[in-house]
Amino acid sequence: MLLLHLSDLHLSRYGERGDWSQPDDEEGWELVHQWQRWRIEGRRDRKGRPDKLRLLDPEGVVHQGRGWPGRKDEKIISRLLALAMERHMTSAEALVTNRPTPEDLHALLRLDPTNTNLRFLQVVDQLLPLGPELIAVTGDTTDNGFGYGLLEHYLRPWIERQRLFVVPGNHDTYEMMPRRGRRARIQAKEEQYRDFTHRIGNAPNAAGAYVRRIGDIAVVGLNSCNALIGPLSAAGEVAREQLVWLHELGRDPAFQQERLRLCLVHHHLLRMPFELGRRAPIEVGMRLRNAREVMQTCSEAGIDIMLNGHRHHGYMVQLPGHPMVVSSPSSTLGCKSSDRRYVWLLDLADRHPYPVMHVFSDDPALNDDDNGDPGTTPPPAASGDDPAA
Ligand SMILES: [Fe+2]
Ligand SMILES: [Fe+2]
């Protein structure tokens, strides 16, 4: 029984990452060019000379700002237009109705290599044919609360069989910038996430967590998104009610008798002391404030494996007397500890499941045998599991 551990997909309206809020400086912008409902606007300095250009999508969100040279600005305007057209094609809605072929996807990714919506389709193309029985997504499904529909469309067979498990991430529910309307935006994001969990059958209990049983395996989902402190913090905390609930669950004989108990949480349990990565991991504003308590409660409840995301650093750690911790990199943006883009696969039929790395192939022509993954099995029912069907 194969478990595919995904995390930090950062899906968005157009596959773009960034601040999706309306800009604050609304004064003095004039329309320079329009395509569909995308706008290129310009602003002049005090002396009336061209100063800045920006590209806005139909929702009024700025995608890119540029200097405005005034004369000979056609090149910059056509670049902004090309970006608008490409973003238009890679909106979550467009990718639901028009699924690119692997070859088209490859070509689109050459134009926009970090487009998370497109990279999610790579996940769909390259990983779903492996036939995972269960799929876990440990948070940051979206970059800013948009794009759930893309996941729901392509993972529908798993949703219908109650085989998709998701927990919230800070990007799904936080609004980190301290700007006007922040409270309303937080509320809207929380509602969007709540609706999403209801649609996919992952609604939490009154404590804010859930447990689901698949055969002799229990899957627990904890919500670590609890933005208690001020701006620019992505830190989290698992609320006391959830830990009390988990403690009680651990005393339930039926739970104790499960062959395997998994627990999903977004924020990382273990801080990284190792600095082999391309970037030294920073902890400020990132941590799980009550990580020690969460780990202790999970250990006492008999959790075997903890799955987390958040840091975009992949690792697996087995500390004696504690659950094994499997930290997923971003399944779309990659791993900060290495140049590889990969996911973890766990065969839950094993007595002691061990995560196997499955590295993405950037070339759609390469088959699975070429990407160095010896541990994955061929698809048991590729046609039946085709999420596009
Ligand atoms: Fe993330
Ligand atoms: Fe995160």
Side-chain angles (χ1 to χ4, degrees):
M1 183 191 278
L2 204 59
L3 168 77
L4 167 60
H5 181 191
L6 302 177
S7 198
D8 297 80
L9 299 170
H10 290 269
L11 302 175
S12 61
R13 275 187 167 124
Y14 300 97
E16 160 73 347
R17 288 200 69 203
D19 180 6
W20 289 92
S21 301
Q22 308 284 331
D24 282 338
D25 55 340
E26 280 305 291
E27 298 294 307
W29 291 93
E30 60 190 79
L31 182 65
V32 175
H33 198 90
Q34 185 156 0
W35 175 78
Q36 303 261 0
R37 286 163 57 225
W38 290 74
R39 296 161 63 88
I40 295 172
E41 294 181 343
R43 187 158 74 174
R44 297 173 186 277
D45 64 15
R46 282 186 192 155
K47 293 182 178 172
R49 293 172 302 199
D51 185 25
K52 289 177 183 168
L53 284 172
R54 65 182 192 179
L55 172 69
L56 292 93
D57 69 22
E59 288 81 27
V61 174
V62 176
H63 280 245
Q64 200 170 91
R66 290 281 183 104
W68 189 6
R71 285 182 203 163
K72 296 186 181 171
D73 54 13
E74 298 88 359
K75 216 172 179 179
I76 289 177
I77 289 174
S78 61
R79 263 193 218 143
L80 289 174
L81 266 178
L83 180 64
M85 289 173 189
E86 178 233 298
R87 292 273 151 87
H88 192 71
M89 276 169 58
T90 60
S91 74
E93 291 84 0
L95 292 175
V96 162
T97 47
N98 289 316
R99 179 180 182 174
T101 63
E103 292 72 25
D104 287 347
L105 183 59
H106 188 58
L108 284 165
L109 277 163
R110 284 178 77 112
L111 281 173
D112 193 0
T114 59
N115 186 304
T116 51
N117 290 356
L118 293 175
R119 283 185 167 212
F120 172 67
L121 293 191
Q122 269 189 326
V123 171
V124 169
D125 281 352
Q126 295 188 26
L127 294 167
L128 300 193
L130 299 174
E133 179 72 18
L134 308 180
I135 300 179
V137 185
T138 47
D140 285 357
T141 298
T142 68
D143 197 52
N144 216 338
F146 302 104
Y148 292 116
L150 198 57
L151 183 101
E152 288 176 61
H153 177 75
Y154 285 102
L155 301 190
R156 181 140 310 281
W158 284 265
I159 295 169
E160 285 171 353
R161 297 192 338 252
Q162 301 276 299
R163 296 290 193 270
L164 172 69
F165 304 100
V166 172
V167 288
N170 53 299
H171 276 264
D172 300 314
T173 55
Y174 290 13
E175 186 69 30
M176 295 196 342
M177 299 301 279
R179 274 192 302 231
R180 221 166 354 115
R182 186 183 186 200
R183 197 177 291 260
R185 282 197 294 273
I186 290 173
Q187 209 173 356
K189 285 174 99 170
E190 286 179 347
E191 272 169 27
Q192 276 159 348
Y193 185 77
R194 201 164 38 239
D195 290 348
F196 165 64
T197 60
H198 280 93
R199 291 196 299 275
I200 65 167
N202 268 198
N205 57 25
Y210 65 78
V211 60
R212 300 283 186 272
R213 289 179 167 89
I214 309 294
D216 53 3
I217 295 172
V219 180
V220 171
L222 298 178
N223 179 355
S224 59
C225 292
N226 193 342
L228 289 177
I229 47 177
L232 304 176
S233 173
E237 186 173 300
V238 177
R240 170 140 289 281
E241 297 80 22
Q242 293 183 60
L243 296 182
V244 170
W245 168 81
L246 182 55
H247 181 74
E248 283 305 309
L249 183 68
R251 294 157 64 127
D252 175 356
F255 187 75
Q256 289 171 355
Q257 281 162 23
E258 301 290 2
R259 187 174 60 81
L260 212 52
R261 290 159 291 268
L262 313 179
C263 180
L264 280 54
V265 65
H266 179 59
H267 290 80
H268 51 294
L269 278 296
L270 303 175
R271 284 197 248 165
M272 288 183 67
F274 28 95
E275 296 191 8
L276 271 176
R278 283 180 283 136
R279 271 179 267 170
I282 51 159
E283 278 296 328
V284 182
M286 293 287 283
R287 69 196 179 97
L288 181 64
R289 290 190 292 273
N290 59 344
R292 191 181 290 260
E293 203 185 344
V294 174
M295 189 59 144
Q296 196 58 40
T297 309
C298 287
S299 302
E300 287 168 8
I303 299 291
D304 299 290
I305 304 172
M306 303 287 307
L307 304 175
N308 73 255
H310 186 49
R311 297 294 307 277
H312 302 200
H313 283 281
Y315 52 86
M316 47 183 161
V317 175
Q318 175 69 74
L319 293 174
H322 290 293
M324 175 166 63
V325 175
V326 180
S327 177
S328 171
S330 164
S331 309
T332 51
L333 296 163
C335 177
K336 290 180 182 171
S337 302
S338 74
D339 287 323
R340 289 180 166 197
R341 189 173 146 227
Y342 62 91
V343 296
W344 296 119
L345 290 165
L346 288 94
D347 188 351
L348 300 183
D350 283 353
R351 197 167 135 80
H352 299 292
Y354 186 79
V356 173
M357 182 185 285
H358 185 95
V359 182
F360 281 86
S361 153
D362 283 333
D363 184 344
L366 289 178
N367 63 36
D368 291 323
D369 294 331
D370 291 324
N371 67 16
D373 170 30
T376 53
T377 48
S383 57
D385 272 338
D386 181 5

